[in-house]
Amino acid sequence: MSVLILVEHDNQEVKSSTLNTVTAARQLGDDLHGLVIGNGCAEVAAAAARIDGIDKVYLVDSAEFEHGLVENSAIVVADFARSYTHVLAPASTFGKNLMPRVAAMLDVQQISDISSILSEDTFIRPIYAGNALAKVQSSDSIKLITVRTTTFDAAAVNGPDAPVETLDSSANAGLSEFLKHDLTRTERPELTTAKIVISGGRGMQSGENFQMLERVADQLGAAVGASRAAVDAGYVPNDYQVGQTGKVVAPDLYIAVGISGAIQHLAGMKDSKVIVAINKDEEAPIFQISDYGWVVDLFDAIPELEQALKWLLSFKFKPTDIISAHSRNILYWWEWECSSSKTESAEELNTIDREAAEFWFDSDWLSCFSWCLTEYAHFDSKIFQALSFS
């Protein structure tokens, strides 16, 4: 079977969502072709050609496609799709915007947001905000599919360069025109691709209080997200929203601060590998799916967490560098430091050498961070006072 993958990009680089889509496509066939539509995006096509599993890349490069207007690009995709049994795109804004129009043009039914592939015509997709899974079987000759990227691993970008064929094609439906981009600029990782995400909810009480989360995010190299309630209250822009009507994320570590855990929000983050919940309401639904929970007032917890991270990162480690030792070893080391601090000065504690700190190097940093955060929550501020954080 031949499979066409629509490459998501910004005319400069391939978006990581495409890598997850390629992994899904491999389960459907061995003949995988990528389609790059844009303007001045030859480098994007070359990058797509290096994705492991891609056999050929088609490049459609024209001024009409510079801003990704789907009214124009859908015409090209529909023409290409007739030569394939399956057409896949990420279930991102890109795929959700483009694929329904292509499905209407081909008079086939779109299969949305698949999380698993059972066979060439049978798929699993979440429904009811992820509370149920539907098995969907399609008899259409061309299957148009959007892929929930968080449920598939990213394909490697180390394959031999596949051939790139440039096609002279243009399509202007005359139905829309580009006016301007109004983008939120940030130096933090993109929310959907970040390895660590810290999100705030209605409990943050104001947009100004989100600055606390932003400082912690900067320490961790994390992205900042929000619940729908926080977005609707005007605390943060809507591109921060995580959930069924926002962005779906699955980072290595998700820290939910002041988020109760409404079904709508859980649908967008419950696939995260490690979930830490900070909420003063011990009955909050978020604790039912969290790996670690800290029942505490966030306005006490976040400043202490910020100071703890500041001390930890004083060892010159980047959070992403600390990726190895047993969480138990770390716990014992942390406990030892706390007890020893009763007789040592803060200045002496801060001179702990790198060798001592290397207890952090035998296990998963993210799990250890979560473990330490929650194991010592019952000390309230004592652990931070012992380490002269407060």
Side-chain angles (χ1 to χ4, degrees):
M1 289 180 295
S2 55
V3 181
L4 180 66
I5 300 163
L6 306 184
V7 177
E8 182 176 4
H9 64 91
D10 59 1
N11 289 318
Q12 297 179 352
E13 61 181 9
V14 175
K15 297 295 185 181
S16 61
S17 57
T18 300
L19 305 181
N20 307 91
T21 305
V22 170
T23 299
R26 283 192 197 135
Q27 299 181 31
L28 293 169
D30 298 325
D31 189 16
L32 307 185
H33 295 175
L35 175 59
V36 176
I37 303 175
N39 184 41
C41 52
E43 291 185 5
V44 173
R50 291 191 291 272
I51 300 174
D52 190 20
I54 293 287
D55 299 298
K56 188 172 185 177
V57 174
Y58 292 101
L59 171 61
V60 178
D61 198 323
S62 181
E64 300 97 87
F65 307 122
E66 180 175 2
H67 302 293
L69 298 179
V70 295
E71 291 82 0
N72 299 336
S73 54
I75 298 172
V76 177
V77 174
D79 287 341
F80 263 86
R82 292 184 173 91
S83 302
Y84 295 87
T85 58
H86 298 77
V87 180
L88 274 66
S92 57
T93 302
F94 165 77
K96 291 176 180 178
N97 195 21
L98 175 60
M99 293 294 265
R101 183 174 290 271
V102 176
M105 295 172 73
L106 295 175
D107 194 24
V108 299
Q109 203 167 2
Q110 177 183 320
I111 306 169
S112 303
D113 206 22
I114 66 165
S115 58
S116 180
I117 298 172
L118 302 183
S119 69
E120 63 184 49
D121 65 355
T122 307
F123 311 90
I124 300 293
R125 62 180 299 267
I127 58 175
Y128 298 121
N131 284 307
L133 297 175
K135 182 189 291 186
V136 180
Q137 187 172 38
S138 172
S139 59
D140 288 329
S141 58
I142 304 173
K143 296 167 181 62
L144 297 183
I145 302 167
T146 58
V147 176
R148 175 167 286 209
T149 56
T150 57
T151 60
F152 295 91
D153 294 333
V157 191
N158 57 7
D161 288 1
V164 177
E165 182 177 343
T166 302
L167 302 177
D168 185 12
S169 177
S170 63
N172 190 343
L175 298 175
S176 63
E177 65 175 307
F178 173 79
L179 296 179
K180 67 174 182 176
H181 272 142
D182 190 2
L183 303 176
T184 301
R185 302 288 181 183
T186 178
E187 304 234 342
R188 299 188 188 96
E190 186 178 345
L191 186 57
T192 54
T193 59
K195 293 184 177 180
I196 305 174
V197 174
I198 180 167
S199 290
R202 194 197 307 270
M204 297 302 298
Q205 299 182 7
S206 71
E208 290 75 19
N209 289 332
F210 263 82
Q211 295 175 10
M212 295 192 300
L213 301 190
E214 290 170 352
R215 291 194 296 269
V216 172
D218 291 338
Q219 289 175 305
L220 292 171
V224 177
S227 68
R228 179 174 176 173
V231 172
D232 287 348
Y235 298 166
V236 289
N238 60 11
D239 55 350
Y240 279 45
Q241 185 175 330
V242 174
Q244 185 182 15
T245 55
K247 296 177 180 176
V248 177
V249 301
D252 293 335
L253 174 63
Y254 188 89
I255 306 174
V257 182
I259 294 176
S260 63
I263 291 174
Q264 191 279 142
H265 184 75
L266 302 185
M269 46 67 71
K270 66 181 181 181
D271 290 330
S272 304
K273 293 180 177 61
V274 176
I275 299 173
V276 176
I278 300 175
N279 199 303
K280 65 181 180 181
D281 179 10
E282 62 183 17
E283 301 297 327
I286 190 72
F287 289 123
Q288 296 176 12
I289 69 158
S290 62
D291 298 284
Y292 306 99
W294 193 357
V295 181
V296 65
D297 190 320
L298 70 89
F299 294 103
D300 294 329
I302 299 304
E304 288 187 345
L305 174 59
E306 181 184 354
Q307 292 303 312
L309 287 169
K310 182 178 180 180
W311 174 81
L312 176 61
L313 297 177
S314 68
F315 290 110
K316 309 302 181 185
F317 298 145
K318 297 178 182 178
T320 50
D321 290 339
I322 309 173
I323 45 179
S324 344
H326 234 267
S327 52
R328 281 290 179 186
N329 286 345
I330 292 174
L331 210 54
Y332 295 149
W333 173 68
W334 191 290
E335 192 170 28
W336 176 81
E337 293 300 347
C338 290
S339 61
S340 65
S341 67
K342 296 173 183 176
T343 55
E344 294 179 6
S345 68
E347 183 176 341
E348 290 171 327
L349 262 179
N350 287 329
T351 61
I352 297 173
D353 62 16
R354 187 183 183 91
E355 183 178 347
E358 283 175 353
F359 273 104
W360 286 94
F361 273 79
D362 288 332
S363 166
D364 174 22
W365 141 247
L366 297 174
S367 294
C368 294
F369 170 76
S370 304
W371 183 281
C372 290
L373 176 65
T374 53
E375 276 295 302
Y376 285 100
H378 63 277
F379 281 93
D380 294 323
S381 63
K382 291 180 182 178
I383 183 172
F384 304 109
Q385 291 170 353
L387 291 168
S388 300
F389 291 147
S390 56

